[in-house]
Amino acid sequence: QVQLVESGGGLVQPGGSLRLSCAASGSSFSGYVMGWYRQAPGKQREWVASITNDSITNSADSVKGRFTISRDNAKNTVYLQMNSLQPEDTADYFCKLDVIRPSPQRRTYWGQGTQIIVSS
């Protein structure tokens, strides 16, 4: 059983920066993928970035060079550093955990979301 809690959202001016945090509590897993997704009003949820248990990272073309995903294992926390924010980045941002191992605990978890508004 896992709970994911996002934080760090808010209002920021274009060109500004924010760092989102996703704190995981509960069980620990040996194999997993954690990622960030976002959903703008009236649009489908889209993948932003992901990181594996062995620290392989990927990000969407729309955020490459601006967003960076990272993890602090000691704090059981995943971060999304967002730089050069633009109004198009305005959305609700969600943390996702895909448990792979141990396989009997294979499951997907979602955080509750945190809102990012980029506006002057």
Side-chain angles (χ1 to χ4, degrees), residues 83-97:
N83 299 325
S84 302
L85 284 162
Q86 301 299 316
E88 302 82 67
D89 298 314
T90 296
D92 290 333
Y93 284 71
F94 299 87
C95 181
K96 180 187 178 186
L97 167 64

Side-chain angles (χ1 to χ4, degrees), residues 47-93:
W47 170 72
V48 175
S50 61
I51 185 168
T52 69
N53 55 275
D54 52 355
S55 300
I56 299 173
T57 61
N58 286 287
S59 61
D61 289 342
S62 60
V63 305
K64 283 187 184 299
R66 299 189 299 122
F67 292 10
T68 302
I69 189 170
S70 62
R71 182 184 65 244
D72 186 335
N73 286 334
K75 298 181 179 179
N76 294 316
T77 300
V78 171
Y79 303 96
L80 185 67
Q81 179 67 46
M82 304 184 294
N83 299 325
S84 302
L85 284 162
Q86 301 299 316
E88 302 82 67
D89 298 314
T90 296
D92 290 333
Y93 284 71

